[in-house]
Amino acid sequence: MKDVKDLTAEEAARELEHLAAEMAKSDIAYYQNDAPYLSDAEYDRLKHRNLEIEARFPQLIRADSPSKRVGAAVKSGFSKITHRFPMLSLGDIFSIEEVEDFIRSVKRFLNTTEEIAFMSEPKIDGLSFSARYENGVFVQGATRGDGTTGEDITENLKTIRSLPLQLKNAPDVLEVRGEVYMSKADFFELNERYEKEGRKTFANPRNAAAGSLRQLDPKITAERNLSMFAYTWGEVSERPWESQQDFFNHLNDWGFPTNPNNTLCRSVKEIEESFARLMEIRASLPYDIDGVVYKVNSIALQERLGFLTRTPRWAIAHKFPAEQALTTVNAIRIQVGRTGALTPVADLEPVNVGGVIVSHATLHNEDEIKRKDIRVGDTVVIQRAGDVIPQIVAVVTEKRSPDSVEFEFPHVCPQCGAHAVREEDEAVRRCTGGLSCPAQAIERMIHFVSRDAFDIAGLGDKIIEDFYREGILHTPADIFTLESRNRGGDDLFSAGTGLHLERKEGWGKKSVENLFLAIRDKRAISLPRFIYALGIRQVGTATALLIAKNYGSFRNFMNDMINKETGKLVAIDGIGASMATDMVEFFGEPHNIEIVNRLLSEVTVEDYIDTTDYNSPIAGKTIVFTGTLERMTRSEAKAKAQSLGAKVAGSVSAHTDYVVVGADAGSKAVKAKELGIAILSEEEFLELAK
Ligand code: IVH
């Protein structure tokens, strides 16, 4: 292959065309047929080559270039698009009788007694879109909006890899419409990440898809892994298809994914079977569907049937029953977390909700129980939204027994009996038992050995709990004496007193040996991990790192905390007064000091060595972050910048060197522009910070 610098413009144009075609083919194979034909590495190589050529010949960048999928510039707002053909909605029905009514009314309208064929299609629970192609090139994308005007999401749609950017043998004007969705797996992954970063999570995949598609910064859309199915059309300059089924074939030829469960039904019976089948596979599909759409297959008949005001006469949505059910509350249990938070959970009489057996529901907190007046013995409506934890929607008070009593939230910890107090303006009540509370002790040890802390894989949650209950482990330091205590029986003086873990059920010599090996391996620990492992409220990994950097050694940090000396702490960018209070409180607790001291006699906490790169391109510069960052939390970004020798400031001034803008950036971005300060996108910052 020729070096890019040796290419003529003509050769470059030819190669770009070839690259676009090749990658489009691969996208189709991957997204439509589920049969990748380029490996990830090959795909990346093509993508890279494409970028290289485009960098040298920017005038040759094609409308359908794969590089367009990474997301164009951030916009200040969505512009409106008026649909040339309105995007209609569908009438809803909920029962088999209504399906029969619908078919009867279609026949009556057409004045026929013959069977009519219908397409049965899963109703994808996503966000509808319209994609306009002119002369085979994708030119515009829109949301449905109110059906008449939608928002311009052209750049966002481009980032969806299953949407073809170029069509062969398509009408000069063609609007393809369909549904953008987020798979259940991607939804959970996204929410998990958000949860970890302390950000607000999405209620269901549909909301996540909507939130991801309607992003002013298409780069964010690009990272979200959205997918789509095409199912209808808007404006077309010609219509070489005779039926809905025929249209699906055309869609596939052009490279659009269509739903593999679309089926042609020739009788009421087949329609009903298709509904039953989709209902059955619903839970196992990788995306959410909320019903089945039936469409008269013949376009000629569709045209005769026409429209009611906002819905077609030739199609209808048969919705699945809501994922709600009635059941009774058997008990209200209070769980106690690592920081002592009491969380109420309802134990329910097991019930089938949309194909899933539900036996627990979260009650969030004390106020939630009060607000909904949920009592033990109540009949309640429970709801499963997508796959999130079931919730109690309401109490059926008519069914309440006359002798039922209001639930009284305990003021003592159900695990240890210590007072459970609720600070003013806090929603949670907390146990004050600290480590004498078994629940907190166990949760804290689980945290102690977790991945970002001591990372001792052999000590799972269940083992910690069992060991605690059996008196083998009380506090984290006990983990490090396990081995010597286990050997107890080997020396003369303590004959027979060993733990002999290898004799326990489920354990053998080998697994015990492996556990000890894993523990020995953690006797030396880095300062940030150690601080994080202590499980101080509000001290996550990023904060632990900041503390490590600024104090250098655990002793320095601990001494300050014991002396309630927080000046140095709150001077750290990213650490506020409320965090400082939590830290001082932690070290003000004699229990905790004892635990920490015992730990320090078992493990070596390595001092933090400053690895700041003072030669980095941003060393010595002052950076301001603003807006919502997508690839990292604000603390991570700050930590990253600081590790490269930059100073991170909270506000923009004449001394600022760079302003890094995330999504929905506000006044700081404006001020930076006014002052002529260099503005970086998150990507550009990451590039600089590499
Ligand atoms: S056809 C005129 N087919 O359901 C017909 N819609 O209330 C237009 N939807 O707004 C829609 N899957 O967002 C059609 N296979 C499917 C669909 C589908 C999901 C959504 C679409 C529409 C709503 C109807």
Side-chain angles (χ1 to χ4, degrees):
M1 201 186 325
K2 261 193 172 177
D3 219 282
V4 171
K5 67 178 181 342
D6 302 325
L7 289 177
T8 66
E10 212 172 297
E11 285 169 334
R14 226 177 306 128
E15 193 171 341
L16 288 176
E17 183 182 349
H18 172 75
L19 285 165
E22 197 67 6
M23 291 165 83
K25 210 158 84 188
S26 170
D27 284 342
I28 292 173
Y30 190 92
Y31 290 103
Q32 187 178 308
N33 306 329
D34 235 358
Y37 99 113
L38 287 182
S39 69
D40 285 355
E42 282 168 317
Y43 191 93
D44 284 344
R45 198 177 52 74
L46 298 190
K47 200 161 101 184
H48 191 78
R49 174 88 180 164
N50 190 65
L51 280 178
E52 263 190 316
I53 302 177
E54 287 183 345
R56 191 170 156 227
F57 300 97
Q59 75 281 14
L60 295 181
I61 297 178
R62 301 168 59 88
D64 64 341
S65 167
S67 65
K68 300 252 167 168
R69 296 205 190 264
V70 298
V74 185
K75 296 201 294 183
S76 57
F78 289 104
S79 46
K80 295 270 179 252
I81 286 179
T82 303
H83 300 298
R84 275 166 250 216
F85 252 67
M87 288 180 78
L88 299 167
S89 57
L90 298 170
D92 286 338
I93 52 173
F94 296 90
S95 67
I96 295 295
E97 293 74 52
E98 286 174 295
V99 176
E100 288 163 6
D101 287 346
F102 166 69
I103 295 171
R104 242 193 315 273
S105 73
V106 167
K107 285 187 181 173
R108 197 179 318 120
F109 193 93
L110 296 171
N111 197 17
T112 179
T113 50
E114 276 170 42
E115 283 287 8
I116 291 173
F118 287 86
M119 223 31 223
S120 155
E121 309 171 12
K123 187 171 182 297
I124 315 299
D125 197 7
L127 201 79
S128 50
F129 72 92
S130 186
R132 187 178 174 89
Y133 294 80
E134 286 173 7
N135 302 314
V137 179
F138 173 67
V139 290
Q140 191 177 65
T143 60
R144 176 170 181 276
D146 61 4
T148 311
T149 37
E151 287 174 329
D152 184 342
I153 49 160
T154 309
E155 296 305 325
N156 309 73
L157 273 187
K158 272 186 193 167
T159 68
I160 300 178
R161 271 179 66 189
S162 50
L163 183 90
L165 299 176
Q166 184 122 48
L167 314 177
K168 281 210 189 78
N169 306 320
D172 293 347
V173 173
L174 168 67
E175 283 178 6
V176 169
R177 292 175 175 176
E179 203 84 354
V180 169
Y181 64 92
M182 183 179 285
S183 74
K184 294 177 190 172
D186 285 326
F187 162 71
F188 283 123
E189 208 181 292
L190 183 69
N191 261 4
E192 218 166 86
R193 176 155 69 86
Y194 271 29
E195 180 110 42
K196 255 201 200 137
E197 294 170 1
R199 296 163 64 170
K200 204 168 162 278
T201 53
F202 292 104
N204 52 44
R206 204 193 104 79
N207 287 2
S212 304
L213 193 59
R214 294 183 65 262
Q215 282 286 343
L216 289 171
D217 180 358
K219 286 197 181 74
I220 299 171
T221 314
E223 287 162 7
R224 294 286 174 82
N225 227 356
L226 296 172
S227 316
M228 66 91 167
F229 285 120
Y231 50 67
T232 194
W233 65 92
E235 188 183 12
V236 285
S237 53
E238 55 177 322
R239 206 206 62 222
W241 52 91
E242 304 282 320
S243 66
Q244 179 70 14
Q245 191 180 38
D246 192 14
F247 177 59
F248 281 137
N249 292 333
H250 276 80
L251 284 174
N252 290 147
D253 290 345
W254 292 319
F256 291 94
T258 57
N259 194 286
N261 289 299
N262 295 338
T263 42
L264 188 66
C265 302
R266 293 168 204 282
S267 64
V268 183
K269 188 164 163 278
E270 284 183 18
I271 287 188
E272 292 175 1
E273 279 166 6
S274 79
F275 181 78
R277 194 180 147 266
L278 284 170
M279 184 98 139
E280 204 178 291
I281 62 170
R282 174 186 194 186
S284 62
L285 289 174
Y287 43 81
D288 277 344
I289 64 175
D290 59 344
V292 184
V293 179
Y294 309 125
K295 296 175 185 165
V296 169
N297 189 43
S298 152
I299 310 294
L301 293 185
Q302 283 186 8
E303 285 181 342
R304 276 178 59 196
L305 283 156
F307 300 87
L308 292 156
T309 340
R310 298 195 55 83
T311 57
R313 270 198 203 85
W314 45 266
I316 203 135
H318 186 180
K319 302 286 275 287
F320 289 137
E323 298 203 303
Q324 287 194 341
L326 284 184
T327 189
T328 44
V329 177
N330 288 336
I332 295 177
R333 250 184 318 125
I334 309 288
Q335 291 180 337
V336 184
R338 165 167 64 86
T339 56
L342 306 191
T343 311
V345 178
D347 283 345
L348 305 168
E349 191 56 34
V351 62
N352 187 327
V353 194
V356 175
I357 305 293
V358 169
S359 47
H360 307 286
T362 164
L363 295 172
H364 302 291
N365 55 46
E366 195 169 343
D367 292 344
E368 170 96 350
I369 302 182
K370 202 167 243 147
R371 197 163 53 78
K372 293 184 177 164
D373 187 18
I374 299 165
R375 307 177 181 190
V376 176
D378 271 352
T379 300
V380 290
V381 181
I382 56 164
Q383 174 170 294
R384 235 169 38 95
D387 282 314
V388 299
I389 308 170
Q391 300 190 320
I392 293 182
V393 183
V395 174
V396 187
T397 41
E398 298 78 32
K399 293 199 171 189
R400 178 174 278 167
S401 123
D403 44 301
S404 100
V405 285
E406 221 175 286
F407 179 75
E408 221 171 299
F409 204 91
H411 286 209
V412 291
C413 172
Q415 292 274 340
C416 71
H419 282 296
V421 297
R422 186 170 164 185
E423 310 256 313
E424 231 176 288
D425 60 64
E426 265 222 53
V428 287
R429 188 172 285 280
R430 286 175 206 277
C431 161
T432 52
L435 287 173
S436 59
C437 170
Q440 288 187 64
I442 292 170
E443 291 301 328
R444 256 169 80 172
M445 271 192 286
I446 291 175
H447 172 81
F448 185 84
V449 299
S450 68
R451 178 115 56 91
D452 294 327
F454 269 69
D455 191 20
I456 303 174
L459 284 174
D461 299 5
K462 181 80 181 62
I463 298 178
I464 298 252
E465 184 166 351
D466 287 349
F467 281 11
Y468 181 87
R469 304 239 181 250
E470 291 164 29
I472 298 174
L473 292 179
H474 283 108
T475 79
D478 298 335
I479 293 171
F480 295 95
T481 60
L482 262 181
E483 187 171 2
S484 61
R485 285 185 290 142
N486 198 53
R487 272 190 281 105
D490 290 352
D491 64 72
L492 209 57
F493 305 104
S494 51
T497 60
L499 290 173
H500 297 298
L501 293 180
E502 61 284 349
R503 294 184 198 158
K504 285 174 79 69
E505 204 187 308
W507 291 83
K509 233 179 149 49
K510 188 83 206 138
S511 48
V512 170
E513 196 40 53
N514 284 342
L515 176 63
F516 292 160
L517 213 66
I519 294 171
R520 251 182 267 151
D521 193 42
K522 298 295 155 75
R523 280 196 181 264
I525 190 90
S526 75
L527 181 54
R529 273 181 186 273
F530 185 78
I531 295 171
Y532 172 73
L534 295 178
I536 305 168
R537 220 194 289 173
Q538 299 198 66
V539 179
T541 48
T543 306
L545 182 64
L546 287 178
I547 297 171
K549 273 189 151 218
N550 285 275
Y551 284 92
S553 80
F554 188 69
R555 279 280 161 223
N556 291 344
F557 172 56
M558 182 151 141
N559 284 342
D560 264 17
M561 293 306 101
I562 290 174
N563 297 326
K564 306 198 186 331
E565 188 54 70
T566 57
K568 181 167 175 161
L569 195 58
V570 293
I572 302 173
D573 206 0
I575 295 185
S578 110
M579 281 188 193
T581 307
D582 281 342
M583 294 182 224
V584 168
E585 263 176 25
F586 179 92
F587 288 97
E589 181 71 55
H591 244 325
N592 288 335
I593 298 291
E594 193 189 316
I595 285 175
V596 169
N597 282 334
R598 277 197 55 209
L599 255 178
L600 291 174
S601 68
E602 295 291 340
V603 304
T604 310
V605 184
E606 294 158 355
D607 285 347
Y608 189 83
I609 296 164
D610 189 1
T611 51
T612 307
D613 176 4
Y614 295 101
N615 292 318
S616 87
I618 55 171
K621 306 275 190 220
T622 299
I623 300 187
V624 173
F625 292 95
T626 177
T628 314
L629 301 177
E630 290 298 320
R631 305 226 343 228
M632 50 195 166
T633 59
R634 196 58 85 73
S635 326
E636 268 181 280
K638 282 183 184 174
K640 173 124 209 155
Q642 286 162 346
S643 75
L644 293 169
K647 189 176 168 303
V648 178
S651 59
V652 178
S653 73
H655 303 293
T656 312
D657 294 295
Y658 294 112
V659 175
V660 179
V661 294
D664 303 322
S667 60
K668 288 182 196 171
V670 176
K671 184 155 181 211
K673 227 175 248 162
E674 280 169 10
L675 292 174
I677 293 164
I679 295 184
L680 299 179
S681 67
E682 191 177 352
E683 296 301 313
E684 286 165 333
F685 166 71
L686 284 171
E687 192 58 37
L688 256 187
K690 252 216 292 252

